[in-house]
Amino acid sequence: MHRYRSHTCGVLREGDIGKEVRLSGWCHRIRDHGGVLFIDLRDHYGLTQIVADPDSPSFKEAEKLRSEWVIRVDGKVRKRPAGTENTELPTGAVEVYVNEIEVLGPAAELPMPVFGDQEYPEEIRLKYRFLDLRRERLHRNIMLRGAVIDSIRRRMKEQGFFEFQTPILTASSPEGARDYLVPSRLHPGKFYALPQAPQQFKQLIIVSGFDRYFQIAPCFRDEDARADRSPGEFYQLDLEMSFVTQQDVFDAVEPVMRGVFEEFSGGKPVTPKFPLIPYADALRHYGSDKPDLRNPLKMQNVSEAFRDSGFKVFAGMLAADPNKVWADNTPTDREDVRECPG
């Protein structure tokens, strides 16, 4: 048998009942039910319940275990007693009755628990980032990010795009923010800049005759945080195409974005065809060049209704061109409208 494990903590099923197995992982949660110890053993792949009772040869060792200790266990897979199955776990129909425990790495008292989904101050989470990333939600997010990037990469290559990697240390090319500078050892007093985007390099690639370029590109910008990205650095899907029209770009990008959302939306509906709204129409109907189309309200031009009206504020404004009056066309049968006074 392998030194550390014969199976991972996410693969045991009812078909494995009766097998002698070896697992390694972290003690995610320990419960003492009247002298019977239940240990949720966690690794990258999932959770498996480990059971130790006073008849187990490793019961004394099991009593010493604490949260986040790294252990190896040998035991026999058995079916959980009726009524104790956990349908939320893929391994929830079975448990491992432990015969032997080896402590691979004890842990001191934790500054923040890994079990559960409580919120903690950012300073604590960043200081103990290795613990923060063990938490289920964070671990799942990291894996989701990798899966999304794989999906984007596959869809781009299916359309004939070729992936390039462009330099990180480069000359300064200011865009929308300040550059990050890196001092040069070989040229004292001079600096490299970290690219805010691979703009110049991808243009070099295209004029060199490569037809379709893409990159999951790191971008470095010395700016404050925004709602949709972290400060300092972020990654973006970067692409260039040769001999194309604007519509060709739309036709190439939309299937990638829509396909990614369909794949990872968890069954939520995705717009089958992205609407194309001219800039002027977007401002006219939504007052923004990036409207939230989940809001069905569209502004309407009501200038003629107020032009010669007794409402002097609007009538006076409309006397001088090119002023116009716009209003939201709000249905009167909406509950939120009726309940909102004024």
Side-chain angles (χ1 to χ4, degrees):
M1 190 177 288
H2 189 273
R3 168 70 177 86
Y4 293 109
R5 61 187 179 189
S6 61
H7 299 73
T8 68
C9 294
V11 299
L12 296 179
R13 303 291 189 271
E14 290 186 85
D16 298 303
I17 291 174
K19 289 183 180 179
E20 296 288 339
V21 299
R22 174 173 290 174
L23 305 177
S24 291
W26 287 260
C27 295
H28 186 66
R29 187 183 177 202
I30 302 173
R31 308 181 303 282
D32 187 343
H33 289 189
V36 180
L37 294 176
F38 295 90
I39 304 162
D40 291 336
L41 193 65
R42 182 193 77 243
D43 67 5
H44 172 75
Y45 304 96
L47 290 171
T48 296
Q49 179 171 280
I50 310 299
V51 181
D53 60 23
D55 295 331
S56 170
S58 296
F59 184 72
K60 292 293 184 183
E61 193 70 25
E63 287 185 308
K64 302 175 185 177
L65 301 180
R66 296 293 180 268
S67 181
E68 292 307 298
W69 282 32
V70 183
I71 63 173
R72 173 189 63 80
V73 300
D74 290 356
K76 190 173 185 178
V77 182
R78 67 185 190 185
K79 184 175 177 61
R80 291 199 191 190
T84 65
E85 300 90 347
N86 186 345
T87 57
E88 296 183 2
L89 285 179
T91 60
V94 299
E95 61 189 16
V96 175
Y97 182 76
V98 65
N99 297 319
E100 181 180 330
I101 296 176
E102 178 186 3
V103 176
L104 303 176
E109 185 176 352
L110 300 178
M112 55 177 285
V114 172
F115 173 74
D117 201 24
Q118 306 95 321
E119 288 298 327
Y120 295 92
E122 187 177 70
E123 311 84 69
I124 297 293
R125 292 179 58 195
L126 293 179
K127 183 177 181 180
Y128 301 100
R129 189 62 167 166
F130 64 97
L131 291 177
D132 193 37
L133 292 179
R134 292 182 190 179
R135 301 165 70 190
E136 182 180 358
R137 180 168 59 88
L138 271 295
H139 190 275
R140 186 171 59 246
N141 287 349
I142 294 293
M143 296 305 295
L144 174 62
R145 180 183 188 275
V148 169
I149 289 175
D150 285 344
S151 178
I152 292 174
R153 182 173 280 120
R154 183 183 73 252
R155 296 172 192 280
M156 294 298 290
K157 289 183 176 180
E158 288 173 352
Q159 293 194 66
F161 286 85
F162 190 83
E163 185 175 10
F164 289 78
Q165 285 76 41
T166 53
I168 296 299
L169 294 177
T170 181
S172 179
S173 177
E175 295 194 26
R178 292 180 294 272
D179 286 327
Y180 280 111
L181 301 179
V182 180
S184 169
R185 178 181 61 85
L186 296 178
H187 305 282
K190 296 184 179 297
F191 296 82
Y192 296 102
L194 303 183
Q196 295 189 32
Q199 188 70 33
Q200 291 182 328
F201 297 112
K202 68 179 181 181
Q203 290 171 342
L204 282 171
I205 288 169
I206 293 301
V207 300
S208 298
F210 298 96
D211 194 67
R212 291 193 166 197
Y213 145 97
F214 90 97
Q215 182 181 189
I216 311 297
C219 301
F220 305 91
R221 298 180 181 180
D222 187 6
E223 61 184 1
D224 295 334
R226 298 188 186 182
D228 58 352
R229 66 176 181 237
S230 300
E233 62 177 290
F234 61 92
Y235 284 76
Q236 68 183 27
L237 170 61
D238 203 79
L239 61 95
E240 285 284 344
M241 305 165 66
S242 296
F243 306 112
V244 292
T245 65
Q246 175 178 268
Q247 189 60 47
D248 292 324
V249 178
F250 291 158
D251 292 342
V253 173
E254 181 178 329
V256 175
M257 303 309 297
R258 187 176 61 249
V260 169
F261 279 105
E262 289 173 343
E263 184 175 351
F264 298 101
S265 65
K268 296 178 181 178
V270 179
T271 304
K273 179 66 178 175
F274 293 172
L276 300 180
I277 306 174
Y279 176 81
D281 290 348
L283 291 183
R284 182 178 301 116
H285 293 301
Y286 302 101
S288 169
D289 62 350
K290 47 182 179 181
D292 184 345
L293 298 183
R294 293 173 298 180
N295 186 343
L297 301 183
K298 293 175 66 173
M299 292 191 299
Q300 305 291 330
N301 188 346
V302 294
S303 301
E304 294 307 314
F306 287 98
R307 187 174 300 280
D308 298 318
S309 68
F311 192 63
K312 295 183 179 180
V313 175
F314 286 170
M317 285 181 11
L318 292 170
D321 286 333
N323 294 334
K324 291 183 175 62
V325 176
W326 294 81
D328 284 332
N329 182 17
T330 307
T332 57
D333 60 343
R334 285 177 48 182
E335 291 293 331
D336 56 335
V337 174
R338 292 203 303 268
E339 294 174 0
C340 180

